[in-house]
Coordinates of all heavy atoms in Angstrom, one line a residue:
M35 N -3.9 -0.7 12.2 CA -2.5 -0.6 12.2 C -2.1 0.9 12.6 O -1.0 1.1 13.1 CB -1.9 -0.9 10.8 CG -0.4 -1.0 10.8 SD 0.3 -1.6 9.3 CE -0.1 -3.3 9.4
R36 N -3.0 1.8 12.3 CA -2.7 3.2 12.7 C -2.6 3.4 14.2 O -2.1 4.4 14.6 CB -3.8 4.1 12.2 CG -3.8 4.3 10.7 CD -4.7 5.3 10.2 NE -6.1 5.0 10.6 CZ -7.0 4.6 9.7 NH1 -6.7 4.6 8.4 NH2 -8.2 4.3 10.1
Q37 N -3.0 2.4 15.0 CA -2.8 2.5 16.4 C -1.4 2.2 16.9 O -1.1 2.4 18.0 CB -3.8 1.6 17.1 CG -5.3 1.8 16.7 CD -5.7 3.2 16.9 OE1 -5.4 3.8 17.9 NE2 -6.5 3.8 16.0
K38 N -0.6 1.6 16.0 CA 0.8 1.2 16.4 C 1.7 2.3 16.2 O 1.5 3.2 15.3 CB 1.2 0.0 15.5 CG 0.4 -1.2 15.8 CD 0.9 -2.4 15.0 CE 0.0 -3.6 15.3 NZ 0.5 -4.8 14.6
P39 N 2.8 2.4 16.9 CA 3.8 3.4 16.8 C 4.4 3.4 15.4 O 4.7 2.4 14.8 CB 4.9 3.1 17.8 CG 4.2 2.2 18.8 CD 3.1 1.5 18.0
G40 N 4.5 4.6 14.8 CA 5.1 4.8 13.5 C 4.1 4.8 12.3 O 4.5 5.0 11.2
F41 N 2.8 4.6 12.6 CA 1.8 4.6 11.6 C 0.8 5.7 11.8 O 0.4 6.0 13.0 CB 1.1 3.3 11.6 CG 1.9 2.1 11.1 CD1 2.5 1.3 12.1 CD2 2.2 1.9 9.8 CE1 3.3 0.2 11.7 CE2 3.0 0.9 9.4 CZ 3.6 0.0 10.4
F42 N 0.4 6.4 10.7 CA -0.5 7.5 10.8 C -1.5 7.4 9.7 O -1.3 6.7 8.7 CB 0.3 8.8 10.7 CG 1.5 8.9 11.6 CD1 2.7 8.5 11.1 CD2 1.3 9.3 12.9 CE1 3.8 8.5 12.0 CE2 2.4 9.3 13.8 CZ 3.7 8.9 13.3
P43 N -2.6 8.1 9.7 CA -3.5 8.2 8.6 C -2.8 8.8 7.4 O -1.9 9.6 7.5 CB -4.6 9.2 9.0 CG -4.6 9.2 10.5 CD -3.1 8.9 10.8
A44 N -3.1 8.3 6.2 CA -2.4 8.7 5.0 C -2.6 10.2 4.8 O -3.7 10.8 5.0 CB -2.9 8.0 3.8
Y45 N -1.6 10.9 4.3 CA -1.6 12.4 4.2 C -2.5 12.8 3.0 O -3.3 13.7 3.1 CB -0.2 12.9 4.1 CG -0.2 14.4 4.1 CD1 -0.6 15.2 5.2 CD2 0.2 15.1 2.9 CE1 -0.5 16.6 5.1 CE2 0.3 16.5 2.9 CZ -0.1 17.2 4.0 OH -0.1 18.6 4.0
H46 N -2.2 12.2 1.8 CA -2.9 12.7 0.6 C -3.8 11.6 0.0 O -4.2 11.7 -1.1 CB -1.9 13.0 -0.5 CG -1.1 14.3 -0.2 ND1 -1.7 15.5 -0.2 CD2 0.2 14.5 0.0 CE1 -0.9 16.4 0.0 NE2 0.3 15.8 0.2
M47 N -4.1 10.5 0.8 CA -4.9 9.4 0.2 C -6.2 9.3 1.1 O -6.4 10.0 2.1 CB -4.1 8.1 0.3 CG -2.8 8.2 -0.5 SD -3.0 8.3 -2.3 CE -3.5 6.7 -2.7
N48 N -7.0 8.3 0.7 CA -8.2 7.9 1.5 C -7.7 7.5 2.9 O -7.1 6.4 3.0 CB -8.9 6.8 0.8 CG -10.1 6.4 1.6 OD1 -10.2 6.4 2.8 ND2 -11.1 5.8 0.8
K49 N -8.0 8.2 3.9 CA -7.5 8.0 5.2 C -8.1 6.7 5.9 O -7.5 6.3 6.9 CB -7.7 9.2 6.1 CG -6.7 10.3 5.7 CD -7.1 11.6 6.3 CE -6.2 12.8 5.9 NZ -6.0 12.9 4.5
T50 N -9.1 6.2 5.3 CA -9.7 4.9 5.9 C -9.0 3.7 5.3 O -9.0 2.6 5.9 CB -11.2 4.8 5.7 OG1 -11.5 4.9 4.3 CG2 -11.9 6.0 6.4
S51 N -8.5 3.8 4.1 CA -7.9 2.7 3.4 C -6.4 2.7 3.3 O -5.8 1.6 3.1 CB -8.4 2.6 2.0 OG -9.8 2.5 2.0
W52 N -5.7 3.8 3.5 CA -4.3 3.9 3.4 C -3.7 4.5 4.6 O -4.3 5.1 5.4 CB -4.0 4.8 2.2 CG -4.4 4.2 0.9 CD1 -5.6 4.4 0.2 CD2 -3.7 3.3 0.1 NE1 -5.6 3.7 -0.9 CE2 -4.5 3.0 -1.0 CE3 -2.4 2.7 0.2 CZ2 -4.0 2.1 -2.0 CZ3 -2.0 1.8 -0.8 CH2 -2.8 1.6 -1.9
I53 N -2.4 4.2 4.8 CA -1.6 4.6 6.0 C -0.3 5.3 5.5 O 0.1 5.1 4.4 CB -1.3 3.5 6.9 CG1 -0.5 2.4 6.2 CG2 -2.6 2.9 7.6 CD1 0.1 1.4 7.1
T54 N 0.2 6.1 6.5 CA 1.6 6.6 6.3 C 2.4 5.9 7.3 O 2.0 5.7 8.5 CB 1.6 8.1 6.6 OG1 0.8 8.8 5.6 CG2 3.0 8.6 6.6
A55 N 3.6 5.4 6.9 CA 4.5 4.7 7.8 C 5.7 5.6 7.9 O 6.3 6.0 6.9 CB 4.9 3.3 7.3
A56 N 6.1 5.9 9.2 CA 7.3 6.7 9.4 C 8.6 5.9 9.0 O 8.7 4.7 9.3 CB 7.3 7.1 10.9
L57 N 9.5 6.6 8.4 CA 10.8 6.0 8.0 C 11.9 6.5 9.0 O 13.0 6.7 8.5 CB 11.1 6.4 6.6 CG 10.0 5.9 5.6 CD1 10.4 6.4 4.2 CD2 9.8 4.4 5.6
D58 N 11.6 6.6 10.2 CA 12.5 7.0 11.2 C 13.1 5.9 12.1 O 13.7 6.1 13.1 CB 11.9 8.1 12.1 CG 10.7 7.6 12.9 OD1 10.3 6.3 12.7 OD2 10.0 8.3 13.6
G59 N 12.8 4.7 11.7 CA 13.3 3.5 12.4 C 12.2 3.0 13.4 O 12.5 1.9 14.0
S60 N 11.1 3.6 13.6 CA 10.1 3.1 14.5 C 9.3 2.0 13.9 O 8.6 1.3 14.6 CB 9.1 4.3 14.9 OG 8.5 4.8 13.7
V61 N 9.4 1.8 12.6 CA 8.8 0.6 11.9 C 9.9 -0.2 11.3 O 10.7 0.3 10.6 CB 7.8 1.1 10.8 CG1 7.1 -0.1 10.1 CG2 6.7 2.0 11.4
P62 N 9.9 -1.5 11.6 CA 11.0 -2.3 11.0 C 11.0 -2.3 9.5 O 10.0 -2.3 8.8 CB 10.6 -3.7 11.5 CG 9.7 -3.5 12.7 CD 9.0 -2.3 12.4
D63 N 12.2 -2.4 8.9 CA 12.4 -2.4 7.5 C 11.6 -3.5 6.8 O 11.0 -3.2 5.7 CB 13.9 -2.5 7.1 CG 14.7 -1.3 7.4 OD1 14.1 -0.2 7.7 OD2 15.9 -1.4 7.3
E64 N 11.5 -4.6 7.3 CA 10.8 -5.7 6.7 C 9.3 -5.4 6.7 O 8.6 -5.8 5.7 CB 11.0 -7.1 7.5 CG 12.4 -7.6 7.3 CD 12.8 -7.8 5.8 OE1 12.0 -8.3 5.0 OE2 13.9 -7.3 5.4
K65 N 8.8 -4.8 7.7 CA 7.4 -4.4 7.7 C 7.1 -3.4 6.6 O 6.1 -3.4 5.8 CB 7.0 -3.8 9.0 CG 5.5 -3.3 9.1 CD 4.5 -4.4 9.1 CE 4.1 -4.7 10.5 NZ 3.1 -5.7 10.6
I66 N 8.0 -2.4 6.4 CA 7.9 -1.4 5.3 C 7.9 -2.1 4.0 O 7.1 -1.8 3.1 CB 9.0 -0.4 5.4 CG1 9.0 0.4 6.7 CG2 9.0 0.6 4.2 CD1 7.8 1.4 6.9
K67 N 8.8 -3.0 3.7 CA 8.9 -3.7 2.5 C 7.7 -4.5 2.2 O 7.2 -4.5 1.1 CB 10.1 -4.7 2.5 CG 11.5 -4.0 2.5 CD 12.6 -4.9 2.6 CE 13.9 -4.2 2.7 NZ 15.0 -5.1 2.9
M68 N 7.1 -5.2 3.2 CA 5.9 -5.9 3.0 C 4.7 -5.0 2.7 O 3.9 -5.3 1.8 CB 5.5 -6.7 4.3 CG 4.3 -7.6 4.2 SD 2.7 -6.9 4.8 CE 3.1 -6.3 6.4
L69 N 4.6 -3.8 3.3 CA 3.6 -2.9 3.0 C 3.7 -2.3 1.6 O 2.7 -2.1 0.9 CB 3.5 -1.8 4.1 CG 3.1 -2.3 5.5 CD1 3.4 -1.2 6.5 CD2 1.6 -2.7 5.5
V70 N 4.9 -2.0 1.2 CA 5.1 -1.5 -0.2 C 4.7 -2.5 -1.2 O 4.0 -2.2 -2.2 CB 6.6 -1.1 -0.4 CG1 6.9 -0.8 -1.8 CG2 6.9 0.1 0.5
E71 N 5.0 -3.8 -1.0 CA 4.6 -4.8 -1.9 C 3.1 -5.0 -2.0 O 2.5 -5.0 -3.0 CB 5.2 -6.2 -1.5 CG 4.9 -7.3 -2.4 CD 5.4 -7.2 -3.8 OE1 6.4 -6.5 -4.0 OE2 4.7 -7.7 -4.7
L72 N 2.4 -4.9 -0.8 CA 1.0 -5.0 -0.8 C 0.3 -3.8 -1.5 O -0.6 -3.9 -2.2 CB 0.5 -5.1 0.7 CG 0.7 -6.4 1.4 CD1 0.3 -6.3 2.9 CD2 -0.1 -7.5 0.7
S73 N 0.9 -2.6 -1.2 CA 0.4 -1.4 -1.9 C 0.6 -1.5 -3.4 O -0.3 -1.1 -4.1 CB 1.2 -0.2 -1.3 OG 0.7 1.0 -1.9
Y74 N 1.7 -2.0 -3.9 CA 1.9 -2.1 -5.3 C 0.9 -3.1 -5.9 O 0.3 -2.8 -6.9 CB 3.4 -2.6 -5.6 CG 3.6 -2.8 -7.1 CD1 3.8 -1.7 -7.9 CD2 3.5 -4.1 -7.6 CE1 3.9 -1.9 -9.3 CE2 3.7 -4.3 -9.0 CZ 3.9 -3.2 -9.8 OH 4.0 -3.4 -11.2
Q75 N 0.7 -4.2 -5.2 CA -0.2 -5.2 -5.7 C -1.6 -4.7 -5.8 O -2.4 -5.0 -6.7 CB -0.2 -6.5 -4.9 CG 1.1 -7.3 -5.0 CD 1.1 -8.4 -4.0 OE1 0.2 -8.7 -3.2 NE2 2.3 -9.1 -4.0
A76 N -2.0 -3.8 -4.9 CA -3.3 -3.2 -4.9 C -3.5 -2.2 -6.0 O -4.7 -1.9 -6.4 CB -3.6 -2.6 -3.5
T77 N -2.4 -1.6 -6.4 CA -2.6 -0.4 -7.3 C -1.9 -0.7 -8.7 O -2.1 0.2 -9.6 CB -2.0 0.8 -6.7 OG1 -0.6 0.6 -6.5 CG2 -2.7 1.2 -5.4
A78 N -1.2 -1.7 -8.9 CA -0.5 -2.0 -10.2 C -1.5 -2.2 -11.3 O -2.6 -2.7 -11.1 CB 0.4 -3.2 -10.0
P79 N -1.2 -1.7 -12.5 CA -2.0 -2.0 -13.6 C -2.2 -3.5 -13.8 O -1.3 -4.3 -13.7 CB -1.3 -1.4 -14.8 CG -0.2 -0.6 -14.2 CD 0.0 -1.0 -12.8
K80 N -3.4 -3.9 -14.2 CA -3.7 -5.3 -14.4 C -3.4 -5.6 -15.9 O -3.6 -4.7 -16.8 CB -5.2 -5.6 -14.2 CG -5.7 -5.1 -12.8 CD -4.9 -5.8 -11.7 CE -5.4 -5.4 -10.3 NZ -4.5 -5.0 -9.4
P81 N -2.9 -6.8 -16.2 CA -2.5 -7.1 -17.5 C -3.8 -7.1 -18.4 O -4.8 -7.5 -18.0 CB -1.9 -8.5 -17.5 CG -2.0 -8.9 -16.1 CD -2.6 -7.8 -15.2
R82 N -3.7 -6.6 -19.6 CA -4.8 -6.6 -20.5 C -4.9 -7.9 -21.2 O -3.9 -8.6 -21.5 CB -4.6 -5.5 -21.6 CG -4.7 -4.1 -21.1 CD -4.6 -3.2 -22.2 NE -4.9 -1.8 -21.8 CZ -5.2 -0.9 -22.6 NH1 -5.1 -1.0 -23.9 NH2 -5.5 0.3 -22.1
R83 N -6.2 -8.3 -21.4 CA -6.4 -9.6 -22.2 C -6.3 -9.2 -23.7 O -6.7 -8.1 -24.1 CB -7.8 -10.1 -21.9 CG -7.8 -10.7 -20.5 CD -9.2 -11.4 -20.2 NE -10.0 -10.3 -19.7 CZ -11.3 -10.3 -19.8 NH1 -12.0 -11.3 -20.3 NH2 -12.0 -9.3 -19.3
S84 N -5.9 -10.2 -24.5 CA -5.9 -9.9 -25.9 C -7.3 -9.9 -26.4 O -8.3 -10.4 -25.8 CB -5.1 -11.0 -26.6 OG -5.7 -12.2 -26.5
K85 N -7.5 -9.3 -27.6 CA -8.9 -9.1 -28.1 C -9.5 -10.5 -28.4 O -10.8 -10.6 -28.4 CB -8.9 -8.3 -29.4 CG -8.5 -6.9 -29.1 CD -8.5 -6.1 -30.4 CE -8.2 -4.6 -30.1 NZ -8.2 -3.8 -31.3
G86 N -8.8 -11.5 -28.7 CA -9.3 -12.8 -29.0 C -9.7 -13.6 -27.7 O -10.4 -14.6 -27.8
T87 N -9.4 -13.1 -26.6 CA -9.7 -13.8 -25.3 C -11.1 -13.4 -24.8 O -11.3 -12.2 -24.7 CB -8.6 -13.6 -24.3 OG1 -7.4 -13.9 -24.8 CG2 -8.9 -14.4 -23.0
K88 N -11.9 -14.3 -24.5 CA -13.2 -14.0 -23.9 C -13.2 -14.2 -22.4 O -12.5 -15.1 -21.9 CB -14.3 -14.8 -24.5 CG -14.6 -14.5 -26.0 CD -15.7 -15.3 -26.5 CE -16.0 -14.9 -28.0 NZ -17.2 -15.6 -28.5
A89 N -14.0 -13.4 -21.7 CA -14.1 -13.5 -20.2 C -14.9 -14.7 -19.8 O -15.7 -15.3 -20.4 CB -14.7 -12.3 -19.7

C-alpha cells in the first residue's frame, strides 16, 4: 500500500507493518475509516476471560 499516493512508511511505528496515510485528500475518507478500524482491531485490548473459564 505504501506504493500508492498518500501512503508512507509509519513515522514512529514498525515501518514494515504500519503505514502513515496523508489526510490531505489524496486518500479517500472511506479508505481512511477502513484502515482506522483495522488498526483498532489489531491493537484493541482483548476481553479477559473470567477465572472460572478454562481455555
Side-chain angles (χ1 to χ4, degrees):
M35 191 171 290
R36 287 187 300 249
Q37 305 303 320
K38 295 183 179 183
F41 293 101
F42 310 95
Y45 185 67
H46 289 294
M47 303 293 286
N48 178 333
K49 290 169 180 46
T50 59
S51 300
W52 294 93
I53 57 170
T54 295
L57 300 177
D58 61 1
S60 60
V61 179
D63 288 348
E64 289 306 312
K65 177 71 98 176
I66 298 289
K67 290 175 187 176
M68 184 265 307
L69 291 169
V70 168
E71 180 62 29
L72 288 173
S73 179
Y74 177 79
Q75 290 173 5
T77 59
K80 307 301 181 231
R82 290 184 170 195
R83 288 184 274 157
S84 65
K85 291 181 181 182
T87 305
K88 292 186 179 182

